[in-house]
Amino acid sequence: MTATLDPAAQAILRHNDRGGYTVPNGRVYPFQWNWDSAFVALGFDAFDRDRAWTELETLFAAQWPDGFLPHIVFWKDDPGYFPGPEVWSSGTQPRTSGITQPPVAGTVLRRLWDSATAAGDGEAYRPRAEALFARTLAWHRWFAQYRDFEGRGVVVAMHPWETGRDNSPEWDAPGEPIDVSNVGDYVRRDTGHLDAKMRPTKLEYDRYLALVQYGRATGWNHAEIARSNPFRVADVGMSLILLRANRDLAALARELGREAEAAELDALIARAEAGIGWLWDPVRRTWCSRDCITGLHSGFVTSASFLSFYAGLEDADKDAAMLGHFERIAARVRYMVPSLDPDDPGFQMIRYWRGPVWAVVNWMIGEGLAEAGQKAQAERVRADTRAMMDQTGFYEAYSPIDGSGSGGDDFSWTAAIRLAWAREDERCA
Ligand code: GLC
């Protein structure tokens, strides 16, 4: 089964395995991250099924009683990271952060289940699937209650880190009113490991910390945060990812014979389908995030804008507009899909979420385009991602202009995407 699977990618996952969970990168990110672990599980599933399931189980072991699933789990201390567990002060065991991350785990769980059943392991894995299904559903209910408090069918992010696209320009205008005057002195660790040109600015970091302080002051009371957080932005990425994950979870519910839960998930899907048009900017003709406080669209075309296909939205006019953006951008860069439109004046080819290409986002975009019948575009995304990996290795992200690495090397989720695709190719061969 593993003959053509990339051995270097497998070695990265083994190397970054800390026993039950995988760190994104040993130096820069020494803990368990939420959506990283979901993608990592997809990678492990290509060569070690049991270990893949364990990755999700370890992540969900840190779930809070209200269903919340944290963006970082601090299983062990590590002084090389800031802000660490004492800054977050979650008051939980294990210690965690107080915000969440894009909900890809439900989609991955369905993939793991499909792959186990296809291999004839369905009965052996059923109890684990049942347990993870229940936990994922609890998390999705938490989203509906605390991150969609107006019932719009979107996900309202309370922190740029929650979106997983930390310094996207989508957060610039909504971040302006955040009061940073009491943030105080602190020492960043990320810029000690990596070139500051690839990282968020000091002003952005001050805002990140001010929001952590705000949430901590509420005792991470999710209801109070939903009412009064100074940053409340309906994130197009998380909204589309949750819609997709709800579809996958509903399908899994039916396979597991859980009709009542399937109907509940159908209702969440219907709510999203009815409301998600709120994130369509009719002026810029793109899917984008929207500030819930001011009501303003960001107007940016980002890689997250292209997740509409992955979410299973079908709308001929909007799809055509997005495919138009795709062709325009594809003619401007060597490697698709840049995290920010290269025609935007703020485009920076190596600064994190203001230009670089991220393999995990490409995986989702590629899946969506292929499912929507856009085969040529799907293949371009996949071939470009592979070419960057071949040229540069498994970096955190890549320049869309020349494919050079941005951020940390030997990155778990990048290696995982390579393995997920390699396994699919083996199946189709
Ligand atoms: C950065 C990324 C985020 C990711 C984390 C760990 O913060 O922006 O999406 O989860 O690193 O890799």
Side-chain angles (χ1 to χ4, degrees):
M1 181 187 179
T2 58
T4 61
L5 287 182
D6 194 313
Q10 290 186 50
I12 288 172
L13 292 194
R14 294 289 191 212
H15 181 76
N16 290 340
D17 184 354
R18 295 291 177 273
Y21 71 97
T22 308
V23 296
N25 164 291
R27 276 177 312 129
V28 194
Y29 304 104
F31 309 108
Q32 182 170 29
W33 260 259
N34 183 323
W35 73 327
D36 294 66
S37 271
F39 289 112
V40 158
L42 210 54
F44 267 124
D45 195 49
F47 64 101
D48 186 342
R49 172 164 300 124
D50 174 68
R51 183 60 188 77
W53 287 72
T54 302
E55 186 77 24
L56 288 186
E57 287 161 351
T58 307
L59 177 64
F60 276 101
Q63 188 167 33
W64 291 14
D66 66 354
F68 165 79
L69 191 65
H71 102 291
I72 307 177
V73 188
F74 301 106
W75 291 110
K76 286 181 207 151
D77 264 335
D78 193 306
Y81 184 82
F82 178 85
E86 65 295 333
V87 179
W88 289 96
S89 301
S90 66
T92 57
Q93 207 45 255
R95 295 183 294 174
T96 72
S97 70
I99 56 172
T100 192
Q101 254 192 339
V104 286
T107 294
V108 170
L109 174 60
R110 182 185 179 194
R111 296 278 166 135
L112 298 194
W113 170 253
D114 285 351
S115 117
T117 50
D121 279 349
E123 282 321 300
Y125 277 85
R126 183 175 284 269
R128 297 172 80 171
E130 300 260 5
L132 280 171
F133 168 79
R135 287 187 169 256
T136 311
L137 177 61
W139 186 30
H140 288 200
R141 286 177 179 148
W142 177 88
F143 269 111
Q145 186 171 359
Y146 296 112
R147 290 296 190 261
D148 186 22
F149 40 87
E150 293 173 323
R152 290 185 183 279
V154 299
V155 175
V156 180
M158 298 298 169
H159 195 296
W161 284 339
E162 197 154 70
T163 71
R165 301 183 293 129
D166 307 13
N167 71 334
S168 170
E170 293 209 286
W171 325 133
D172 290 355
E176 270 168 29
I178 299 171
D179 177 10
V180 296
S181 59
N182 293 316
V183 164
D185 292 333
Y186 58 92
V187 180
R188 283 171 67 170
R189 306 306 300 250
D190 60 323
T191 43
H193 300 299
L194 296 166
D195 187 340
K197 287 201 282 298
M198 297 177 175
R199 306 290 302 177
T201 62
K202 158 97 171 110
L203 173 62
E204 284 157 357
Y205 234 81
D206 283 354
R207 289 178 184 164
Y208 301 155
L209 292 176
L211 290 173
V212 171
Q213 290 170 356
Y214 187 89
R216 187 181 61 201
T218 71
W220 298 109
N221 178 327
H222 296 129
E224 189 178 336
I225 290 169
R227 272 193 305 273
S228 60
N229 201 53
F231 179 95
R232 277 171 285 164
V233 182
D235 169 25
V236 71
M238 293 179 95
S239 300
L240 295 169
I241 289 170
L242 181 62
L243 172 51
R244 170 57 185 255
N246 273 329
R247 293 190 202 281
D248 286 318
L249 216 54
L252 182 59
R254 298 210 151 82
E255 294 219 5
L256 296 175
R258 302 197 161 262
E259 288 306 322
E261 286 95 335
E264 178 185 345
L265 287 157
D266 285 348
L268 291 177
I269 294 164
R271 167 162 138 186
E273 285 179 335
I276 201 121
W278 199 63
L279 301 185
W280 176 258
D281 180 344
V283 178
R284 301 292 301 273
R285 293 192 50 75
T286 186
W287 292 103
C288 62
S289 300
R290 192 163 175 177
D291 189 336
C292 293
I293 298 172
T294 63
L296 295 175
H297 288 285
S298 84
F300 290 105
V301 181
T302 67
S303 46
S305 305
F306 295 100
L307 295 175
S308 56
F309 300 98
Y310 175 78
L313 294 179
E314 286 172 26
D315 178 314
D317 177 56
K318 295 185 177 68
D319 291 354
M322 291 317 301
L323 291 170
H325 288 303
F326 189 98
E327 296 313 328
R328 177 176 55 77
I329 293 171
R332 291 272 278 108
V333 299
R334 163 63 189 89
Y335 300 98
M336 287 295 269
V337 178
S339 45
L340 177 60
D341 187 340
D343 285 327
D344 189 281
F347 172 81
Q348 297 177 61
M349 73 175 196
I350 58 161
R351 200 186 282 277
Y352 221 30
W353 294 92
R354 291 178 187 255
V357 180
W358 294 74
V360 293
V361 179
N362 275 8
W363 180 81
M364 295 185 287
I365 295 173
E367 290 291 307
L369 287 168
E371 288 164 2
Q374 305 298 334
K375 300 278 185 252
Q377 291 86 343
E379 192 41 44
R380 164 96 197 248
V381 171
R382 217 163 136 146
D384 285 4
T385 316
R386 281 211 172 114
M388 288 184 293
M389 293 172 178
D390 287 341
Q391 176 190 315
T392 314
F394 297 101
Y395 268 82
E396 182 171 7
Y398 302 88
S399 157
I401 304 299
D402 61 13
S404 57
S406 173
D409 61 357
D410 291 349
F411 227 82
S412 297
W413 67 7
T414 309
I417 293 307
R418 174 64 162 233
L419 292 165
W421 275 334
R423 211 259 303 264
E424 251 176 63
D425 291 346
E426 279 192 352
R427 276 222 203 92
C428 301

